[in-house]
Amino acid sequence: MADDRSVTDPSSTEAPPSVAESRTTLALLTLDGFLCAVLTVLFLPAYIGTAPFPVSILVGAAVNLLLVIGARQFTDRVLVAAAPLLGWLFGFAVCTIGGPGGDVLVFEDWRTLLLFVGAVLPAGVYLFRVQVETMVARAQN
């Protein structure tokens, strides 16, 4: 009879990912962080009727947090798990640079500050909590 345990079953015996698989996945998650920054900046000036509707701030916050949690599955080091967040910060920085002719994607507006804080804060708090838990666990041993 075949063993039909679910993938999420902790008692299932799966081989841990190889170093190459982990690095490739972390690189793709970092690229996803970069793309998330570009898309959240592009959709930041969205309007519903005449009212500004910056839903990309919530999307950026949720996606960054999920990317960092996903990266934690492939590494125990907090700085390496922060790679998707660093990719987002790099993408945001690229979007702040003016293009030819003075074109800019990021305006000096309250939504820009809210996007930066809102997209970085949840993932940053999560990484801080993980780092503190790691330090406490080391101190107890």
Side-chain angles (χ1 to χ4, degrees), residues 38-49:
V38 172
L39 290 174
T40 54
V41 166
L42 287 175
F43 284 101
L44 187 61
Y47 277 81
I48 291 184

Side-chain angles (χ1 to χ4, degrees), residues 108-132:
E108 295 177 12
D109 191 17
W110 61 270
R111 292 174 287 182
T112 302
L113 179 62
L114 196 58
L115 172 64
F116 183 79
V117 171
V120 172
L121 190 65
V125 168
Y126 171 76
L127 288 171
F128 179 75
R129 188 187 65 134
V130 168
Q131 180 65 30
V132 168

Side-chain angles (χ1 to χ4, degrees), residues 17 68-75 126:
V68 169
I69 290 172
R72 274 290 287 148
Q73 303 301 314
F74 293 93
T75 183
Y126 171 76

Side-chain angles (χ1 to χ4, degrees), residues 18-98:
S18 68
V19 174
E21 291 172 338
S22 295
R23 288 182 180 171
T24 303
T25 303
L26 289 170
L28 289 174
L29 289 171
T30 305
L31 177 64
D32 289 342
F34 176 83
L35 294 175
C36 176
V38 172
L39 290 174
T40 54
V41 166
L42 287 175
F43 284 101
L44 187 61
Y47 277 81
I48 291 184
T50 59
F53 188 69
V55 70
S56 65
I57 296 169
L58 297 174
V59 171
V63 169
N64 279 343
L65 181 59
L66 291 174
L67 288 174
V68 169
I69 290 172
R72 274 290 287 148
Q73 303 301 314
F74 293 93
T75 183
D76 292 333
R77 296 176 33 201
V78 174
L79 187 59
V80 175
L85 191 59
L86 297 174
W88 190 93
L89 289 170
F90 179 72
F92 187 80
V94 167
C95 289
T96 61
I97 299 171

